[in-house]
Amino acid sequence: MSEQRLRVALGERSYDVIVGPGLLAQAGRHLGPLLARPRTFVVTDATVATLHLAPLTAALAADGIACRPIVVPAGEATKDFAHLRRLIDDLLDAGVERSDLIVALGGGVVGDLAGFAAAILRRGTGFVQIPTTLLAQVDSSVGGKTGIDTRQGKNLVGSFHQPRLVLADTGTLDSLPRRQLLAGYAEVAKVGLLGDAPFFAWLEVHGEAVIQGGPGARAHAIATCIAAKARIVEADEHEHGDRALLNLGHSFGHALEAETGFGDALLHGEAVAIGMVLAFALSSRLGLCPAADTDRVRRHLAAVGLPAAIAGIAGPGWSGTILANRMTQDKKVRDGRPTLVLVRGIGQAFLSRDQSFANLARFLDDALGERTA
Ligand code: GLY
């Protein structure tokens, strides 16, 4: 399948998201027109560097563009103040100017970190996202959310800073382990679950092909997710309203990630998968959503191999109160109450401020209790 060009229309901050195979090899052609001088600063992590840095550097050189690579450690722990400071130092030492472009080559961690560095460097430097994971291609590289984690929680320090271009080379997904693909697939399913029931029904049939890279299926899913996200971001760039629907499963998921230490024990997408099931289960318990829809969500996520129940990952000391306390640090807490994404059914998400943390703790206690049921 050839490349598709999708537009995020945000006035003077508008940009294209190009999706397709082989885009890394054409990076010079796509970046060239955006550069004030033939020089880029590529931020990547140690894992992605071994796979994709040399091809990207060669592709840029073929169009006469010099490339200064900066390699950060792989993993969520890199999204902190210490690594941000080091990256800013490296970029300034390398002579990056405000009119230059910083290129984020990698997954969500590199995109969020490099994007935030670009946002604050010289009061705002341009950047380009070249996402190399399914999760980053369908979600984090589009929409301009950038930032780092603190000990209190995920993404608590950051900025909205839109990229100038996103190059989603679907060929880079072929080197991903299945677990990483599944973690990204959770965000794919999220798009159907929050607002596109026919897409979720399509995923129930074609989900495995999306994960395995079946002809056409993966590209269709990625383009569908990006188009949906573009419409949501265009309507609510700074998340004053409906953009928060993209956080379906994330408030619960962030609590689970925090409790498991933001590491390999539970990947972000895995936490989101469990979090989405919890959001559906809570909605059903409140009488808002048919139980059959919650069962469908749980069944599909489990069928592709994602964790779909808190029982499978909970540690011995966990309680509803501990998890609900984690959720009090969420950015969407307002006047002491969480903003939750709940559902009236598949494809019908809405924002709710009706739940107290005490209610959440009771619900989570019951969900945890199911491990012995
Ligand atoms: N990943 C959610 C958002 O970009 O709003």
Side-chain angles (χ1 to χ4, degrees), residues 139-140 142-143 145 187 190 229 233 239 243-244 246-247 250:
D139 188 49
S140 62
V142 178
K145 277 191 182 175
E187 301 277 3
K190 180 189 80 176
K229 180 151 187 186
V233 169
E239 200 171 276
R243 181 166 180 169
L246 289 166
N247 297 321
H250 283 60

Side-chain angles (χ1 to χ4, degrees), residues 190-212:
K190 180 189 80 176
V191 171
L193 293 176
L194 75 88
D196 189 345
F199 181 54
F200 184 73
W202 182 86
L203 289 172
E204 287 179 303
V205 178
H206 300 283
E208 191 53 41
V210 173
I211 294 160
Q212 289 196 9

Side-chain angles (χ1 to χ4, degrees), residues 158-320:
S159 165
F160 290 99
H161 186 53
Q162 300 294 342
R164 300 275 308 282
L165 174 73
V166 181
L167 284 184
D169 183 341
T170 51
T172 61
L173 306 182
D174 294 337
S175 55
L176 287 181
R178 183 176 172 92
R179 189 177 173 205
Q180 288 288 344
L181 285 164
L182 280 174
Y185 183 79
E187 301 277 3
V188 174
K190 180 189 80 176
V191 171
L193 293 176
L194 75 88
D196 189 345
F199 181 54
F200 184 73
W202 182 86
L203 289 172
E204 287 179 303
V205 178
H206 300 283
E208 191 53 41
V210 173
I211 294 160
Q212 289 196 9
R218 190 184 272 171
H220 171 70
I222 293 171
T224 302
C225 293
I226 292 172
K229 180 151 187 186
R231 299 297 83 81
I232 291 173
V233 169
E234 285 165 1
D236 180 22
E237 182 182 5
H238 296 117
E239 200 171 276
H240 298 304
D242 278 357
R243 181 166 180 169
L245 296 175
L246 289 166
N247 297 321
L248 174 62
H250 283 60
S251 300
F252 289 115
H254 284 172
L256 302 176
E257 281 183 276
E259 213 45 44
T260 49
F262 293 115
D264 264 2
L266 188 69
L267 302 178
H268 173 68
E270 295 169 338
V272 167
I274 300 171
M276 291 193 297
V277 174
L278 289 170
F280 269 80
L282 176 58
S283 304
S284 292
R285 173 161 148 153
L286 295 169
L288 300 165
C289 166
D293 281 18
T294 300
D295 288 344
R296 238 176 103 190
V297 176
R298 192 182 280 125
R299 238 187 350 261
H300 177 60
L301 297 179
V304 296
L306 276 163
I310 202 168
I313 56 131
W318 288 29
S319 71

